[in-house]
Amino acid sequence: MTTATVGGRHYTAPAARGSADFAGTTRMLRLFLRRDRIVLPLWVFAFGLLPAFYVGSAKAVYTTQADLDHAAKSVMESPALVAMYGPVFSTDLGSVGLWKAGPFYAMIAIATILTVIRHTRVEEETGRAELVGATSIGRYAGLTAAMIMTATGCLVVAISSALALYSSDLPAAGSLAYGATLGGSGLAWAGVAAIAAQVSVGARVARGVAFGALGTAFAVRAVGDAGNGVLSWFSPLGWCINMRPYADERWWILIPLLTVGIVTTVAAYMLLRQRDTGSGLLAERPGAPVAAPMLSGPSGLAWRLQRGSLLAWSIGFLLYGSLMGGAINSVGDMLDNSKQIRDVINRMGGTDVLQNSFITFALSMLAIAASAYSISAVLRLHDEESSQRAEATLAGSVSRVRYALSHIGIALVGPVVLLLVAGAAVGIIYGISDDDLAGKLGDCLGAAAVQVPAVWVLTGIAVTIYGVAPRYTPVAWGVLSAMITIFVIGSLDGLPQWIRDLVPFVHPPKLPGSSFQATPILWLLGIAVVLLGVGIAAFRRRDLR
């Protein structure tokens, strides 16, 4: 027996570990940018320009310094308003005008969380990350590309919002401070999302972890601002509020914001090194050996998959509705003397009674939030199909229509639950403070209920996109973002009515305070039914992906 050696082969040292881990980052970035070519510009555009519209509206409403002083004083006398939006630190136009833009710090966090998780954990959950990783793509390329794209979006938001505010004749320092803080908030929460993507096994759990942290930060900030302000310093959202644009800016607050973004990002890379692709650091609990009776059909399975999300959203709607109920009586004191404010609120869909107008507009905004829940419930169908779990379910004695309706039913019922919970919270708190519990509760529940058909139109749009062109299902988020932009800008700046009519949330009866009209409700229901029918029929006929 002899041993043969193969000549001509020479040992080649492998590339440095660090460079190999990041190989292909540029190509992954190009792929992510192409996939987000619609959604990314939408949230960058919205957060970059909407703050200036808020200031423009305040400039048109508060025409004198006395009006600004009165508005700031009224806000600070209402703990509920301070908890919802944060305190007003000065009576300058910029500070008062941007007061209601305080929630943008949390809204950009939502955008960055969804963006990072969509391009990290979702890629692993669907198996695409493992397929791409089998090529010459480094281990860290996907996470790096997602973070670069998100950070670039935050940078563009910071620059565009600062320039837009400065062009509104506001001081440069305050404009730059607000823009930098808005971008810094997005960066900080992008890092939190990156960690959530490493510790969880599925995208749904990752979103739950990140949004749970965001909800906790919002609650801590709200309680702190409504109190003595100390607790707010334990929340990144509280740091953003305390930057105090146009009121002796605290530039050093950018240091902890950026530190959180850097530390969480570095931690995400360290956690990524410690796990296998497709796995998570939080171990999955073993399921029961025998399925519960509720899991005997597709409806039970859909409920099992989505019940946690509905519970979390319900708690959020309950808390926010309670805050709004406590703020209603303060609205009249703050706004009652301004004809300009009445005009703006009436364009938003209100009546001559400011308290009723506030309820109408507040529940319209909650209807938009309920639409986001409904779209996410519909997207669960898309996720199940992309991960090929839908194919396994449909291989049994389950029709496509029955399978689709199991998730669509939750997308339709869920917003009803959320809006009624919020309406009940508003009515109870408002009724107790006004010594008219039964009357105010009934009014607020009715005002919440009439918003449901408008939400179902968005549900129908998402189902239609999923049925006709499943790969473009996430575009439903872009449709919702466009409608929010039109709704807000049209309310503040008086867009032509035909443009505002494209948004379903402007059509429900303006309850409480005006008479109920069935015609717009019937039209919205008819449109929703047609859209749902088209989407389900298309899904029934097409091939699974």
Side-chain angles (χ1 to χ4, degrees), residues 311-366:
L311 176 62
W313 279 80
S314 298
I315 294 173
F317 271 61
L318 175 64
L319 294 176
Y320 206 73
S322 300
L323 288 174
M324 288 191 300
I328 291 173
N329 285 324
S330 303
V331 172
D333 297 335
M334 183 174 65
L335 307 177
D336 199 34
N337 295 325
S338 175
K339 179 180 181 301
Q340 292 88 348
I341 292 180
R342 289 182 179 275
D343 292 339
V344 171
I345 292 180
N346 286 331
R347 287 202 300 269
M348 291 175 175
T351 66
D352 291 335
V353 180
L354 288 174
Q355 286 85 352
N356 290 339
S357 299
F358 179 77
I359 294 173
T360 301
F361 181 67
L363 290 176
S364 296
M365 298 305 295
L366 283 176

Side-chain angles (χ1 to χ4, degrees), residues 151-236:
T152 302
C154 292
L155 179 62
V156 175
V157 167
I159 295 174
S160 57
S161 61
L163 291 176
L165 291 171
Y166 180 68
S167 65
S168 301
D169 297 327
L170 294 179
S175 303
L176 183 60
Y178 180 83
T181 308
L182 189 60
S185 177
L187 288 175
W189 288 102
V192 173
I195 289 181
Q198 311 310 315
V199 301
S200 58
V201 176
R204 181 170 56 90
V205 178
R207 296 188 193 101
V209 170
F211 287 143
L214 179 62
T216 302
F218 181 86
V220 170
R221 197 279 306 161
V223 174
D225 285 343
N228 57 14
V230 174
L231 194 60
S232 298
W233 292 102
F234 292 88
S235 167

